[in-house]
Amino acid sequence: MAADPRVLIASANLRDLGGLATIDGQRVRAGRLFRSGHLSELDRAEAAILGGLGLRTIIDLRRPSEVADFPTPDLDGVDHLWMSVSPEDSGFAVAANLLFGNQPEQVDIATMLEGYFRNTVTNRLDGYRPVFEAATDPDRQPLLFHCMGGKDRTGFVAGVLLRLLGVGQEEVMADYLLTNEILGDRMARRADQARQRIAQRSGVEPDQVDERHLEGVRAMLYTRPSFLQASFDAVTDKFGTWETFRRDGLGIDDARFSAFLDAVVA
């Protein structure tokens, strides 16, 4: 993970989408599009890295409560766009409530989250269209988009942008799963903390916690191929091709997309 030059601030899961090869032999330009988790806890050295990216735009995909609790730092000359793409009762929030209910082993969290990613394409594109409109505007680049962990909402946006740019699905999926390496230690600690909380609440030892409960915790913490794949499958099921999805689903016309390609692919 540390050897990947696209990873700029590991603690914030901040990385450059540049460097990935497209199917036709070109590459995504470095320094144009960035993805990350929240940016409210950067140390001085990390803040200097962020400030050195020359950003013009930051898109915040988070819910109001997340923005209030973990505010994005102000950067001189950077336009901050708040474009919340999920309500407070989003699929992830519902899954979390069920996970810590009375009978969590009866809830298939992974399947619920696959449905969340599928529904992003089939039922919730309205919230994402302004995001893609801004992200494909060369005048707003260099541009960074982020949510809390930089893996789900951010992972969907990154995955769609990379597929539209012509990056192969295998490479796109590898970028999505890279979060598990970058934040692996943090995720393992949170899974252990969940085990401890569940054990305390249930009156058992940590090693006696039902593994089916922890499976749900891990589904919430880690990226999985089936999650992003559910979105990709929904694109082809509903729109047939990525080009049709770009035009009819996202409302990005040919002229705008051509300008985006010229700016981001070389």
Side-chain angles (χ1 to χ4, degrees):
M1 181 272 295
D4 191 327
R6 296 186 303 117
V7 180
L8 303 176
I9 302 177
S11 66
N13 197 13
L14 192 159
R15 55 194 193 263
D16 193 335
L17 291 185
L20 295 176
T22 64
I23 295 172
D24 61 3
Q26 296 183 297
R27 286 194 179 273
V28 180
R29 293 179 189 268
R32 302 298 296 180
L33 297 170
F34 301 89
R35 57 174 293 174
S36 79
H38 76 85
L39 302 166
S40 66
E41 298 175 340
L42 302 181
D43 62 27
R44 181 175 298 180
E46 292 168 338
I49 292 172
L50 178 65
L53 297 179
L55 296 175
R56 292 185 181 178
T57 311
I58 292 178
I59 299 177
D60 191 333
L61 306 171
R62 299 176 298 163
R63 298 187 292 273
S65 61
E66 295 170 323
V67 174
D69 291 342
F70 299 92
T72 299
D74 290 326
L75 297 174
D76 290 341
V78 179
D79 191 11
H80 289 244
L81 304 179
W82 179 42
M83 297 180 174
S84 179
V85 294
S86 59
E88 295 291 349
D89 60 348
S90 70
F92 272 80
V94 171
N97 289 335
L98 290 172
L99 181 61
F100 293 102
N102 292 327
Q103 295 179 306
E105 69 278 359
Q106 297 182 10
V107 181
D108 188 342
I109 298 295
T111 297
M112 288 187 65
L113 298 184
E114 288 167 8
Y116 171 88
F117 273 83
R118 185 179 304 108
N119 288 336
T120 297
V121 173
T122 58
N123 298 316
R124 296 191 292 112
L125 272 184
D126 285 349
Y128 279 92
R129 285 191 187 98
V131 175
F132 288 105
E133 181 179 0
T136 56
D137 182 354
D139 290 336
R140 286 200 169 275
Q141 298 167 7
L143 176 145
L144 180 149
F145 53 92
H146 76 94
C147 55
M148 280 300 294
K151 68 184 185 72
D152 300 309
R153 291 162 288 188
T154 294
F156 172 75
V157 172
V160 168
L161 287 173
L162 290 172
R163 291 297 283 130
L164 292 177
L165 289 169
V167 178
Q169 183 162 311
E170 184 175 341
E171 289 75 16
V172 173
M173 191 64 72
D175 178 73
Y176 172 66
L177 297 175
L178 185 58
T179 289
N180 292 340
E181 298 180 36
I182 298 172
L183 301 181
D185 291 343
R186 182 188 303 176
M187 292 169 168
R189 288 195 300 271
R190 289 181 176 174
D192 185 64
Q193 289 166 358
R195 179 190 290 272
Q196 299 291 335
R197 289 196 303 269
I198 295 165
Q200 184 176 22
R201 187 183 63 213
S202 304
V204 300
E205 293 298 317
D207 60 1
Q208 295 176 314
V209 171
D210 193 325
E211 287 298 319
R212 290 174 296 178
H213 197 155
L214 291 173
E215 172 63 19
V217 171
R218 295 185 186 104
M220 291 287 293
L221 288 173
Y222 293 87
T223 57
R224 293 188 178 185
S226 63
F227 296 166
L228 188 59
Q229 189 63 51
S231 289
F232 289 173
D233 289 345
V235 167
T236 54
D237 290 345
K238 183 170 182 177
F239 296 95
T241 68
W242 280 91
E243 183 176 5
T244 302
F245 173 64
R246 185 256 299 172
R247 289 175 177 167
D248 299 344
L250 299 180
I252 302 171
D253 63 30
D254 292 349
R256 183 183 191 87
F257 187 61
S258 178
F260 176 56
L261 284 177
D262 288 344
V264 179
V265 175

